[in-house]
Amino acid sequence: MPTKKKPAASSRPGRRPELLAVAAEVFAAQGYDATTVRGIADEAGMLAGSLYHHFDSKESMVDEILSTFLDGLRTAYDTVLGSGLAPRETLEALVAESFRQIGRNPAAAAIYRTEAAHLATRPGFGYLAEAQPFFEDAWHRTLERGVADRTLSAGPDLRLTARFIGDAVWGAASWYRPDGGHDPADLARAALALLLDGLAPRG
């Protein structure tokens, strides 16, 4: 997974988190290609030349934003997968952790959702191409466990189901905010009730 590039030697660590937060908001709002170092500097209230004391390029900024976000998300997934929960509870926990990470880093999640495929083709961003299979495999292996112990239905295609779950989670990056009154665990249960149980009445 992500291997972060070293910051420029003249970087001042104290301002990096603040500047990265500003950069993430600009990237999320304008898109990577349309964003300029000058634009980020303007939002941060500093000269573009001053921003170069902290980062050598906008590429290094988006790299640090995305690699840090994905490192946190992978760590959360690994914790859930190693917790010994039953398959359905594992799925709920994975979705809940996804919502928590999106809520903590909405701009980074939005950048990942909209820019990952584009950036993954560039040198140094190979970890973005590796991320999607990792997350989809987490869903898929959990679904397989559920089929094996008969707590979940096989459905027409487990891989397709895994992709649907992932797409539903990442689609939430466009609207989910932790201050919106929705608890991640409650959202996870609601999402899986819809995805796994459907809308047909029981009876």
Side-chain angles (χ1 to χ4, degrees):
M1 278 293 286
T3 300
K4 293 184 276 296
K5 299 172 184 174
K6 293 182 180 179
S10 57
S11 174
R12 286 172 250 168
R15 287 211 69 188
R16 288 180 73 83
E18 171 195 344
L19 295 174
L20 284 171
V22 172
E25 293 291 341
V26 178
F27 286 132
Q30 299 181 6
Y32 176 77
D33 286 338
T35 297
T36 63
V37 171
R38 181 184 295 276
I40 295 170
D42 287 346
E43 287 296 319
M46 64 195 306
L47 297 174
S50 298
L51 189 59
Y52 281 115
H53 287 296
H54 301 271
F55 303 95
D56 59 12
S57 64
K58 73 172 187 176
E59 180 184 64
S60 67
M61 284 184 268
V62 78
D63 176 40
E64 190 163 339
I65 290 164
L66 288 173
S67 61
T68 300
F69 174 71
L70 290 174
D71 279 344
L73 188 59
R74 178 164 184 165
T75 296
Y77 270 47
D78 283 339
T79 299
V80 170
L81 293 171
S83 64
L85 292 171
R88 176 91 181 209
E89 287 69 32
T90 298
L91 288 175
E92 288 183 0
L94 289 173
V95 176
E97 283 300 328
S98 300
F99 282 130
R100 286 192 188 96
Q101 295 296 323
I102 290 169
R104 289 172 187 151
N105 307 279
I111 296 165
Y112 175 64
R113 182 174 64 91
T114 59
E115 302 284 353
H118 170 55
L119 290 172
T121 63
R122 302 190 178 195
F125 287 92
Y127 62 85
L128 294 175
E130 298 166 6
Q132 184 176 347
F134 169 81
F135 297 125
E136 285 184 4
D137 189 59
W139 304 117
H140 183 251
R141 285 186 288 121
T142 305
L143 289 168
E144 282 186 325
R145 286 202 297 125
V147 171
D149 71 7
R150 301 192 177 186
T151 58
L152 296 172
S153 169
D157 186 325
L158 284 186
R159 282 286 175 192
L160 188 60
T161 302
R163 295 205 70 173
F164 275 134
I165 293 173
D167 287 347
V169 167
W170 289 112
S174 66
W175 58 264
Y176 176 67
R177 297 296 180 271
D179 57 359
H182 300 290
D183 177 77
D186 291 339
L187 275 175
R189 282 189 288 273
L192 287 175
L194 179 61
L195 288 167
L196 301 181
D197 302 329
L199 297 174
R202 299 187 186 100

